[in-house]
Amino acid sequence: MSKPQVSIVMGSDSDLEIMREAGKALDEFDIAYEMDVTSAHRSPDRTAEFARQAAGRGIRVIIAGAGGAAHLAGVIAAHTTLPVIGVPIPSTPLQGMDSLLATVQMPAGIPVATVAIGKAGATNAGILAAQVLAVADSGLAAKLSAYKEKLARGVEEKSRRLKAAEK
């Protein structure tokens, strides 16, 4: 297997079901990734060290999923210059709105690209990571174009089926 270019991290292993969706999206584009658990609150030193060492290990994009206070993506972004994509996890009675607001409201100078709450967001995080990597990889850019064309064909097919069912 090739060296991971993307690191998918989550604040708890209970987030794994959602964060696997980011991995599935990366799999679709044949992008190697790693997965790990680290917590902004329960293991702050480990999290900071992870962020500081990621680029040196060949990581080019970090996807961080966290629920509740959801500080993981921001803490990682504070310790690296790599692009960080935050995935809000719906783990509290607020259904991820707390996580979304915590992830998206970063201070100037510490950007975190934030996607939707939950599985759709994790999928989009994987695709966004692929798009970031595709800026310098024409083969990957072609795969992304084919993916978009596949999505468009799917809509056309659904439209045809709907119209045929109406008759």
Side-chain angles (χ1 to χ4, degrees):
M1 178 175 222
S2 61
K3 196 172 180 183
Q5 296 185 68
V6 177
S7 187
I8 301 170
V9 293
M10 59 211 83
S12 170
D13 62 350
S14 63
D15 303 334
L16 182 58
E17 180 183 345
I18 290 170
M19 297 308 289
R20 276 190 179 125
E21 300 301 313
K24 289 178 187 176
L26 293 168
D27 286 338
E28 184 152 350
F29 301 107
D30 299 317
I31 297 170
Y33 62 91
E34 62 182 20
M35 293 184 99
D36 203 354
V37 174
T38 191
S39 172
H41 302 115
R42 292 181 296 272
S43 61
D45 293 338
R46 181 178 195 279
T47 299
E49 192 65 18
F50 159 82
R52 285 187 204 108
Q53 292 180 356
R57 293 185 301 103
I59 299 300
R60 296 178 59 203
V61 180
I62 298 171
I63 299 172
H71 293 138
L72 183 60
V75 167
I76 289 171
H79 292 281
T80 186
T81 58
L82 294 173
V84 177
I85 304 168
V87 180
I89 304 291
S91 62
T92 71
L94 297 175
Q95 297 301 308
M97 284 302 297
D98 50 345
S99 306
L100 174 65
L101 293 174
T103 305
V104 78
Q105 301 219 52
M106 295 302 300
I110 311 296
V112 171
T114 307
V115 294
I117 298 167
K119 287 185 176 185
T123 297
N124 281 344
I127 295 167
L128 181 56
Q131 291 174 324
V132 168
L133 296 172
V135 168
D137 182 335
S138 61
L140 182 53
K143 287 179 185 180
L144 281 159
S145 290
Y147 174 79
K148 295 277 187 165
E149 290 169 10
K150 181 175 121 182
L151 291 176
R153 284 192 308 272
V155 171
E156 291 297 323
E157 179 57 33
K158 289 174 185 177
S159 174
R160 278 193 293 278
R161 284 195 305 250
L162 177 66
K163 288 177 182 177
E166 290 178 341
K167 294 180 182 181

